[in-house]
Amino acid sequence: MSDMFKGYKGKALEVLKRFKVRVWSETTINTTRGEFKGIILPRSENDDDEHLVLKLATGYNIGVDIDTIIEMKEYGYKEAHYKIPEKEFPMSPEKPYVKLFGTGGTIASRLDYRTGAVIPAFSPGELYGAVPELADVCNLTTEKLFAVFSENMGPMQYMTLAKAIGQEIEKGIDGIVIGHGTDTMHHTAAALSFMVQDSPVPIVMVGSQRSSDRPSSDAALNLIHATTAASRSDIAEVMVCMFGPTSDEYALLHRGTRVRKMHSSYRSTFRTIGDIPIAMVTRDKITPLKKEYHRRRSDRSVKILPYFEERVSIVYYYPNMHPDIIDSLVDNGYKGIVIAGTGLGHVNKPLYPAIERATKAGVAIYMTVQTLWGFVHMFVYETGRDLVNKGIIPAENLLPEVAYIKLGWALGQTKNLEEVKKIMLTPICGDITDGEPYNGYLIYQGGIPEVEEFIRKFHK
Ligand code: ASP
């Protein structure tokens, strides 16, 4: 196959030839769905022959259905090379030692245009080649544990990570960074918060919303901020370090059990829910925002508790949910269910008998709230009280995903439901708090004059 049409075959190849358009050419494509402009990317050899892949000016790649194409025209040509130069990472004894564990996700990747796949760029040498500032921060060593997008993370990976972290701490590391896909970073952060307790060093998770081949990538800044936090901060907790919401100048450190991805594409996608972030990180400063946190220590003791019961589920309640949803979980041997209920923690009446059957069968059921902010309150309405009588346990202000992880972790240790309850309702690392601070819940609506005035101050 000619190199001009890298990876294209069958129908797709015919179309490229018909319009004399090459891979890497800047092209206008007229389709029945409108006009698209961008660079034709090479196609994975394993992919179908029904689509062309076009990189838009925004950096996003789209697939254009061959059957919709009316006309195509080249207007330029831009071959891209994304080889990251590998340089030896300069080590010096006066800098702190940081270990970076790779699990995958956008942060660890660059696009391989030959296959269309996103492949990892990960050794210390590659990272140093891409982000030389890292050498000013710490002595970095890396280890690739997995190379998956984060929807593929799960209990096995959580436990492997927890054990690997334990070993590094024992060996004397000053801080740990975990590169991770952003989509489920908050699940893993919660899992590690429970599985790695009383760490003497910071454990900082980091990701990026935009891959490093895009001009607006947050990968480099996030990495610099995360390694800074891991090597210099005195906050020895499991945290997520990601882009701050009001400028590029800083990242926020979010507690692992209170953090959530809240936007599908913004770089400042992570928010602390039900609290304020622990700290702000710039290149040269870490500013704590909270007073209470676990401090860094020089000893090497840490508790690694790698347990997980996989037959645990989370049920997001919707009006008119039928009881067979709960029944089928019980019939399939699930041992724990977290419900994300409406308002203060409600589900409809038809679910009550199913819930009673489930709890009588020994299934642990915990209630959380879909609102994310605020506490479950099941004693305000009679219906809530009924549910509690049927065996549902209100889970305070555990976030639904955190409750799911905690229940899996608790049931992984014991099947005694009283013990599980004790574990679930005892705060371990900010997962349950005494209350929300007055400045925790801040979701403003644009358009309101005073909000607009506030936004204008930092929106350039
Ligand atoms: N889908 C990716 C993941 O979560 C997105 C990212 O890395 O930000 O692995």
Side-chain angles (χ1 to χ4, degrees):
M1 196 184 301
S2 155
D3 217 26
M4 272 160 60
F5 305 113
K6 275 178 216 155
Y8 286 96
K9 59 190 177 202
K11 260 163 68 174
L13 181 63
E14 266 167 42
V15 170
L16 285 173
K17 284 184 172 165
R18 175 148 38 99
F19 293 108
K20 298 195 178 53
V21 168
R22 298 161 295 170
V23 161
W24 296 122
S25 60
E26 294 174 290
T27 307
T28 311
I29 310 183
N30 213 330
T31 77
T32 51
R33 301 215 173 119
E35 191 183 271
F36 300 100
K37 258 180 145 172
I39 298 171
I40 304 277
L41 294 182
R43 186 84 169 126
S44 159
E45 271 131 41
N46 308 323
D47 282 340
D48 66 37
D49 68 344
E50 311 274 335
H51 299 91
L52 299 180
V53 184
L54 196 67
K55 187 170 197 74
L56 306 178
T58 55
Y60 282 109
N61 299 343
I62 58 164
V64 180
D65 187 338
I66 294 292
D67 295 332
T68 64
I69 296 177
I70 302 164
E71 209 195 352
M72 298 204 290
K73 253 198 195 114
E74 270 193 25
Y75 62 91
Y77 186 81
K78 234 186 204 168
E79 182 156 359
H81 296 281
Y82 286 96
K83 175 88 193 93
I84 295 180
E86 181 140 1
K87 295 189 193 153
E88 198 176 329
F89 197 95
M91 298 286 206
S92 69
E94 66 277 3
K95 286 182 298 183
Y97 286 80
V98 169
K99 177 79 178 229
L100 172 64
F101 286 117
T103 67
T106 304
I107 183 96
S109 40
R110 62 192 161 93
L111 268 188
D112 178 343
Y113 287 111
R114 192 182 55 79
T115 61
V118 173
I119 58 165
F122 195 69
S123 68
E126 276 179 318
L127 279 179
Y128 176 52
V131 192
E133 294 91 333
L134 292 178
D136 303 331
V137 180
C138 59
N139 294 314
L140 194 69
T141 49
T142 61
E143 185 177 338
K144 187 163 89 187
L145 289 179
F146 326 107
V148 296
F149 284 118
S150 67
E151 57 273 26
N152 302 303
M153 292 292 290
M156 218 277 297
Q157 287 75 12
Y158 305 152
M159 294 191 279
T160 306
L161 252 173
K163 289 179 204 159
I165 290 170
Q167 283 164 8
E168 281 309 316
I169 291 175
E170 254 172 50
K171 280 194 256 161
I173 205 77
D174 296 310
I176 288 178
V177 173
I178 300 160
H180 197 286
T182 55
D183 295 354
T184 72
M185 195 187 289
H186 49 294
H187 296 80
T188 306
L192 294 179
S193 303
F194 299 127
M195 291 182 184
V196 182
Q197 289 185 28
D198 295 330
S199 168
V201 301
I203 299 167
V204 185
M205 300 195 65
V206 67
S208 75
Q209 278 283 76
R210 308 205 183 141
S211 59
S212 44
D213 58 318
R214 296 178 58 187
S216 61
S217 174
D218 49 341
L221 269 177
N222 286 344
L223 263 176
I224 295 168
H225 289 139
T227 46
T228 302
S231 50
R232 300 224 311 260
S233 103
D234 73 331
I235 310 170
E237 295 199 17
V238 175
M239 297 171 279
V240 163
C241 176
M242 288 287 292
F243 225 74
T246 51
S247 93
D248 297 11
E249 305 288 305
Y250 68 95
L252 288 174
L253 290 178
H254 304 274
R255 185 163 268 151
T257 52
R258 297 241 61 94
V259 62
R260 200 169 188 284
K261 183 171 182 177
M262 297 300 281
H263 199 284
S264 61
S265 60
Y266 278 12
R267 291 174 299 177
S268 70
T269 173
F270 283 91
R271 292 287 188 275
T272 290
I273 312 281
D275 206 340
I276 56 169
I278 307 188
M280 284 173 91
V281 189
T282 60
R283 280 183 195 218
D284 31 56
K285 210 165 77 207
I286 295 152
T287 313
L289 303 174
K290 282 185 74 70
K291 286 197 196 80
E292 323 76 44
Y293 53 81
H294 287 279
R295 302 292 198 272
R296 185 190 276 276
R297 306 187 313 268
S298 56
D299 68 70
R300 292 288 118 191
S301 72
V302 57
K303 280 189 241 148
I304 304 298
L305 308 161
Y307 313 109
F308 209 91
E309 164 56 63
E310 295 203 14
R311 302 306 271 177
V312 171
S313 179
I314 186 163
V315 171
Y316 194 93
Y317 175 75
Y318 50 87
N320 197 35
M321 179 179 274
H322 289 204
D324 53 0
I325 298 274
I326 304 289
D327 291 339
S328 62
L329 286 173
V330 179
D331 293 345
N332 281 299
Y334 277 76
K335 302 192 164 45
I337 302 173
V338 169
I339 298 180
T342 55
L344 295 168
H346 306 293
V347 294
N348 63 6
K349 284 239 158 88
L351 245 52
Y352 289 18
I355 284 169
E356 194 164 22
R357 274 196 301 275
T359 55
K360 284 207 169 124
V363 180
I365 308 192
Y366 285 81
M367 180 64 84
T368 60
V369 290
Q370 300 181 357
T371 56
L372 303 180
W373 301 83
F375 284 67
V376 180
H377 282 291
M378 299 192 68
F379 296 99
V380 176
Y381 298 98
E382 213 185 321
T383 47
R385 257 174 254 152
D386 284 351
L387 276 175
V388 172
N389 290 337
K390 299 200 180 328
I392 284 202
I393 301 168
E396 307 278 354
N397 69 337
L398 277 169
L399 291 170
E401 292 89 353
V402 177
Y404 157 74
I405 294 283
K406 197 173 185 186
L407 188 53
W409 177 72
L411 281 164
Q413 298 169 61
T414 172
K415 296 286 176 287
N416 176 326
L417 294 189
E418 273 313 304
E419 277 173 37
V420 169
K421 183 172 173 187
K422 202 164 144 217
I423 296 172
M424 284 300 284
L425 299 184
T426 306
I428 291 176
C429 40
D431 47 322
I432 294 174
T433 60
D434 290 340
E436 268 180 20
Y438 75 95
N439 55 352
Y441 176 71
L442 287 184
I443 300 180
Y444 287 135
Q445 296 280 281
I448 301 166
E450 51 262 52
V451 174
E452 290 297 323
E453 194 184 319
F454 169 71
I455 293 172
R456 262 195 302 278
K457 284 191 198 142
F458 61 79
H459 193 80
K460 289 162 210 135

